[in-house]
Amino acid sequence: MTPRLCREGILKLRPYIPGKPIEEVQREYGLTDIIKLASNENPLGPSHKAVESMKSACERVGLYPDGSCFALRQAVAEHLGVEPDYLSFGAGSDECIHEIGVAFLEDGDDVVQADPTFSQYETAATLMECPCRMIPLNSYSYDVDAMADRITERTKLVFVANPNNPTGTMVTHTQVERLLDRLPERAILVLDEAYHEYNVDRPDFPKALPWVLEGRNIVLLRTFSKIYGLAGLRLGYAIAKPEIIRFMEQVRLPFNVNSVAQAGAIAALADQEHVEKSRKLNAEGKHYFYSEFDRLGLPYAPSDANFVWVDLKKDSRWVFGELLKRGVIIRTGDIFGCPTYARVTIGLPEENQRFIGALEEVLA
Amino acid sequence: MTPRLCREGILKLRPYIPGKPIEEVQREYGLTDIIKLASNENPLGPSHKAVESMKSACERVGLYPDGSCFALRQAVAEHLGVEPDYLSFGAGSDECIHEIGVAFLEDGDDVVQADPTFSQYETAATLMECPCRMIPLNSYSYDVDAMADRITERTKLVFVANPNNPTGTMVTHTQVERLLDRLPERAILVLDEAYHEYNVDRPDFPKALPWVLEGRNIVLLRTFSKIYGLAGLRLGYAIAKPEIIRFMEQVRLPFNVNSVAQAGAIAALADQEHVEKSRKLNAEGKHYFYSEFDRLGLPYAPSDANFVWVDLKKDSRWVFGELLKRGVIIRTGDIFGCPTYARVTIGLPEENQRFIGALEEVLA
């Protein structure tokens, strides 16, 4: 018998199933005109100013990136109004999530999270061989009281995706505060705000920065992959007090953020007009989806993000396959344990219309 | 007393000290004309064709990268003559090194490596709380017999940087074979060939691919950061049998390689003329360094890479500081435990001359 080569703990990992890339559908179906509403990207892409800055950075990729992200750190610190040592950058916020696992989880710790939610929290816990306590959503939303009740002295990390992925629903300021107040002394609340910028106008959306500045054990995660349109370049970051950031910095790879991403993010951050335009387009698309799903009699979760979680009332893998033939990629709910649901990214108006047209045809 | 927030194991991590970035020297010394011979980058940078391809990819960074690196995988597989499932890509080969640690190291395992060598092997072991057995170099070279003698039933990973960093010296085919033959059944030899392309003409440089294809427990690491000139974009890869690759793929982040790097690497790989030109330039610069070090009476290790390890016969931190004032960045040996040594990257002819001129001035 061959001896086991790998670490036993990793055998429990559930592989990540990514949104299907456009090139893959092109190869498999021989189609050319394909739209992807599967991975919650900004359909406008990044600011043109960011693209120019990235192209210029491509001239200098022979050198290693600045491992400390000096200029980017200054720019983000100024944008947020925090000191630079409150930040740690990752190759996507999913790298930050893994670093949090590696930096903070040890034998005997457990993790509390919702179910379904973004898969990388469970992956980070599993890599460190710590159990995840999964608290089912209450209809589409976090059951914050059940989560709070599940926190024990062994709990080291509590993950809250706000808004949640895949449902798009939000946890309010007072709800997060309730969780924070229930944390044992050495536990940390991770508030993943990947879709934060879509919620700047919501009065009940958590104002989380003051908690960080007060010295609470909280990590905020933000990303340049969503409204900033830099998903392809991999850049996210954590905001926390320096006592927490220090350990994340200690476990990260020395050159984890590439130099083109650093250049692009600085320019993207400076173009808030593009962010505003993206936010407005998203709001319009969301209301279009709502009215069309209402018309088609499909239940959905009102969304605080750039996607809508909708009950197709059929096997969503089948619907997915039929839509693929029509050049439309969405995300099926089965990966989140909800086989009749789908998560659909809000695209450009013409993409949204094409999706609705194709869906109506498939469901007819 | 505040309870310990972080995992106990990470307190042992030695922070990585990167080569000083040019921008940092500009800020600190108010200089504009600075050359960096500190991080073993290709002074020519990447192929112009790669730069064009990357700029074009910058137009599409709104979408997530292909997590499976489909096109890049095909290109590298074809270039090497292996099947695509023999490859795993990382954001730099240092990410592959960390993945190997996470995938394979567990309680009770140990790691065998040389001292000094590339720091990330020890980091990967420390992150998994496994001890590193450090085998001192014999003069500038690996003491392969001492390494083989240190391998026990508990040894899970043996790291060989070939050529070694920081000394630039090579381990031969028969030496690696001797190590391979001494591995216990569940152990893996990691052969880090970051500078592989500088040695294609050396008859005794290991021909390692056949070992992979024979099913031996060996992982080869290659990178696009050195001769291919893409250090800023973070891209390296592992070559191993699918039984090993599978576990590396299982622990890697879903979108670890950015899309601009994927596009750039495909184009860089296709431009072997640029690789040949870079190799030739490096060989010339190396011999220039040899003759100048001889003239200055400074001992050095003959190099099989794109840098030279030289004994400055003075405190290299002091020399480093003096060179900085003259706008020349090198790497000091103290980080490798050799306080009078320096590692100097072979640059463009004018850079090499400027370094030698400045060094002569400082040492006078």
Side-chain angles (χ1 to χ4, degrees):
Chain A
M1 204 191 84
T2 324
R4 174 174 53 77
L5 268 182
C6 75
R7 182 157 69 94
E8 192 173 6
I10 71 163
L11 295 172
K12 289 181 205 142
L13 284 172
R14 291 199 283 180
Y16 181 83
I17 303 160
K20 215 169 167 64
I22 288 176
E23 296 74 22
E24 205 172 302
V25 181
Q26 285 172 338
R27 285 193 300 272
E28 291 175 10
Y29 290 80
L31 296 170
T32 50
D33 184 18
I34 294 162
I35 60 170
K36 183 184 174 209
L37 302 175
S39 302
N40 306 340
E41 293 126 338
N42 181 344
L44 294 174
S47 149
H48 292 303
K49 290 169 190 163
V51 174
E52 286 317 304
S53 180
M54 292 183 279
K55 285 183 176 177
S56 158
C58 285
E59 303 275 359
R60 302 182 299 274
V61 294
L63 299 177
Y64 277 85
D66 177 356
S68 72
C69 297
F70 182 87
L72 173 63
R73 185 179 293 273
Q74 295 291 332
V76 173
E78 191 172 316
H79 177 75
L80 296 173
V82 301
E83 292 298 316
D85 59 350
Y86 277 71
L87 302 172
S88 180
F89 294 89
S93 50
D94 46 359
E95 189 179 52
C96 297
I97 293 165
H98 282 232
E99 285 168 2
I100 290 169
V102 172
F104 298 110
L105 288 177
E106 52 198 327
D107 272 3
D109 290 341
D110 71 22
V111 168
V112 172
Q113 64 157 69
D115 182 31
T117 191
F118 184 47
S119 63
Q120 292 302 304
Y121 314 141
E122 187 187 1
T123 301
T126 307
L127 280 171
M128 299 309 289
E129 308 195 38
C130 291
C132 261
R133 312 302 178 193
M134 306 282 211
I135 315 302
L137 297 184
N138 188 345
S139 172
Y140 296 127
S141 299
Y142 270 50
D143 187 341
V144 172
D145 292 317
M147 287 182 82
D149 289 343
R150 201 69 176 83
I151 294 170
T152 70
E153 278 305 312
R154 314 198 71 155
T155 302
K156 188 59 197 275
L157 296 175
V158 177
F159 282 103
V160 174
N162 200 34
N164 190 45
N165 176 357
T167 52
T169 52
M170 189 186 95
V171 171
T172 66
H173 188 89
T174 49
Q175 284 179 316
V176 177
E177 196 155 45
R178 228 146 75 215
L179 281 173
L180 265 180
D181 289 341
R182 292 282 287 274
L183 286 185
E185 199 181 356
R186 56 180 292 280
I188 297 170
L189 179 76
V190 182
L191 192 60
D192 184 347
E193 299 190 325
Y195 304 95
H196 168 263
E197 293 82 1
Y198 293 101
N199 291 289
V200 286
D201 303 330
R202 288 281 309 240
D204 45 352
F205 193 80
K207 302 271 175 294
L209 261 183
W211 290 319
V212 171
L213 299 174
E214 282 163 20
R216 307 286 295 256
N217 282 354
I218 185 169
V219 179
L220 312 184
L221 297 177
R222 303 271 175 93
T223 184
F224 282 91
S225 298
K226 302 301 179 187
I227 210 163
Y228 286 104
L230 296 175
L233 271 174
R234 318 308 303 121
L235 181 55
Y237 59 99
I239 316 168
K241 60 182 173 184
E243 296 93 307
I244 289 177
I245 290 295
R246 182 158 61 97
F247 298 119
M248 294 182 63
E249 290 286 292
Q250 198 150 351
V251 302
R252 74 166 171 79
L253 288 163
F255 302 107
N256 59 334
V257 178
N258 71 78
S259 49
V260 178
Q262 293 187 39
I266 292 169
L269 201 62
D271 189 356
Q272 288 297 319
E273 213 172 294
H274 183 74
V275 173
E276 183 53 42
K277 188 175 158 195
S278 305
R279 193 158 34 222
K280 192 161 164 283
L281 184 81
N282 186 69
E284 288 163 6
K286 184 163 73 172
H287 290 290
Y288 170 73
F289 274 178
Y290 290 173
S291 65
E292 292 298 305
F293 291 151
D294 283 337
R295 183 174 64 80
L296 297 169
L298 303 176
Y300 58 87
S303 171
D304 294 300
N306 68 345
F307 53 86
V308 181
W309 181 241
V310 57
D311 186 355
L312 303 174
K313 296 187 167 177
K314 297 224 167 145
D315 177 347
S316 76
R317 291 225 47 96
W318 176 80
V319 178
F320 171 78
E322 290 301 309
L323 288 173
L324 271 192
K325 294 179 194 165
R326 292 161 176 85
V328 177
I329 316 175
I330 60 164
R331 201 99 155 92
T332 58
D334 57 324
I335 17 178
F336 300 101
C338 306
T340 67
Y341 277 82
R343 194 192 68 191
V344 187
T345 304
I346 298 161
L348 298 171
E350 56 273 27
E351 293 174 330
N352 299 337
Q353 283 157 23
R354 181 164 155 203
F355 158 67
I356 292 290
L359 181 68
E360 198 165 1
E361 202 177 293
V362 169
L363 294 182
Chain B
M1 205 191 84
T2 324
R4 175 173 52 78
L5 267 182
C6 77
R7 182 156 71 93
E8 193 174 4
I10 71 162
L11 294 172
K12 289 182 206 141
L13 284 172
R14 291 199 284 179
Y16 181 82
I17 303 161
K20 214 169 166 67
I22 288 176
E23 296 74 23
E24 207 172 299
V25 182
Q26 286 173 338
R27 284 192 301 271
E28 292 174 9
Y29 290 80
L31 297 170
T32 49
D33 184 18
I34 294 161
I35 61 170
K36 183 185 175 209
L37 302 175
S39 302
N40 305 342
E41 292 126 339
N42 181 344
L44 295 175
S47 149
H48 292 303
K49 290 170 190 164
V51 174
E52 287 316 304
S53 181
M54 291 183 280
K55 285 183 176 176
S56 157
C58 285
E59 304 274 359
R60 301 182 299 275
V61 293
L63 299 177
Y64 277 86
D66 177 356
S68 72
C69 297
F70 182 86
L72 172 63
R73 184 179 295 271
Q74 296 292 329
V76 174
E78 192 171 316
H79 176 75
L80 296 173
V82 301
E83 292 298 317
D85 58 350
Y86 278 71
L87 302 172
S88 180
F89 294 90
S93 51
D94 47 357
E95 190 179 53
C96 297
I97 292 166
H98 281 233
E99 285 168 2
I100 289 169
V102 172
F104 298 111
L105 288 177
E106 51 198 327
D107 272 2
D109 289 343
D110 71 22
V111 169
V112 171
Q113 64 158 71
D115 181 33
T117 191
F118 184 48
S119 62
Q120 293 302 304
Y121 314 141
E122 187 187 359
T123 301
T126 307
L127 281 171
M128 300 309 289
E129 307 193 39
C130 290
C132 261
R133 312 300 178 195
M134 305 285 210
I135 315 301
L137 297 186
N138 189 345
S139 173
Y140 296 129
S141 299
Y142 271 50
D143 187 341
V144 172
D145 292 316
M147 287 182 80
D149 288 343
R150 201 68 175 86
I151 294 170
T152 69
E153 279 304 313
R154 312 197 73 154
T155 302
K156 188 59 199 275
L157 297 175
V158 177
F159 282 102
V160 174
N162 201 34
N164 190 44
N165 176 359
T167 52
T169 53
M170 191 187 93
V171 172
T172 65
H173 189 88
T174 48
Q175 284 179 317
V176 176
E177 196 156 46
R178 229 145 74 217
L179 281 173
L180 264 180
D181 289 341
R182 293 282 286 274
L183 287 185
E185 198 181 357
R186 57 180 289 280
I188 298 170
L189 179 76
V190 182
L191 192 60
D192 184 347
E193 300 190 325
Y195 304 95
H196 168 263
E197 293 82 2
Y198 293 100
N199 291 289
V200 287
D201 303 330
R202 288 282 308 243
D204 45 352
F205 193 80
K207 301 272 175 292
L209 261 183
W211 290 320
V212 172
L213 300 173
E214 281 163 20
R216 307 287 294 257
N217 282 353
I218 185 169
V219 178
L220 313 184
L221 297 177
R222 302 270 175 94
T223 184
F224 282 92
S225 298
K226 302 302 177 187
I227 210 163
Y228 287 104
L230 296 175
L233 272 174
R234 320 308 303 121
L235 181 54
Y237 59 100
I239 316 167
K241 62 183 173 184
E243 296 92 308
I244 289 177
I245 290 295
R246 181 158 60 97
F247 298 120
M248 294 183 63
E249 290 284 293
Q250 198 150 350
V251 303
R252 75 165 170 81
L253 287 163
F255 302 106
N256 60 334
V257 178
N258 72 78
S259 48
V260 177
Q262 293 186 39
I266 293 170
L269 202 62
D271 188 357
Q272 289 296 318
E273 214 173 293
H274 182 76
V275 173
E276 184 52 41
K277 188 175 159 195
S278 306
R279 192 157 37 222
K280 192 160 163 287
L281 184 80
N282 186 69
E284 288 163 8
K286 186 164 71 173
H287 290 289
Y288 170 73
F289 274 177
Y290 290 173
S291 65
E292 292 298 306
F293 292 150
D294 283 337
R295 182 174 66 80
L296 297 170
L298 303 176
Y300 57 88
S303 172
D304 294 301
N306 68 345
F307 54 86
V308 182
W309 182 240
V310 57
D311 186 355
L312 302 174
K313 296 187 167 179
K314 296 224 168 146
D315 177 346
S316 76
R317 290 225 47 96
W318 176 80
V319 178
F320 171 78
E322 290 301 310
L323 288 174
L324 271 192
K325 294 179 193 164
R326 291 160 177 85
V328 177
I329 316 174
I330 60 163
R331 201 102 152 94
T332 58
D334 57 324
I335 20 179
F336 300 102
C338 306
T340 68
Y341 277 80
R343 195 192 68 193
V344 187
T345 304
I346 298 161
L348 299 171
E350 55 273 28
E351 293 174 330
N352 299 337
Q353 283 157 23
R354 182 164 156 201
F355 158 68
I356 292 291
L359 181 68
E360 200 166 359
E361 202 177 293
V362 169
L363 294 182

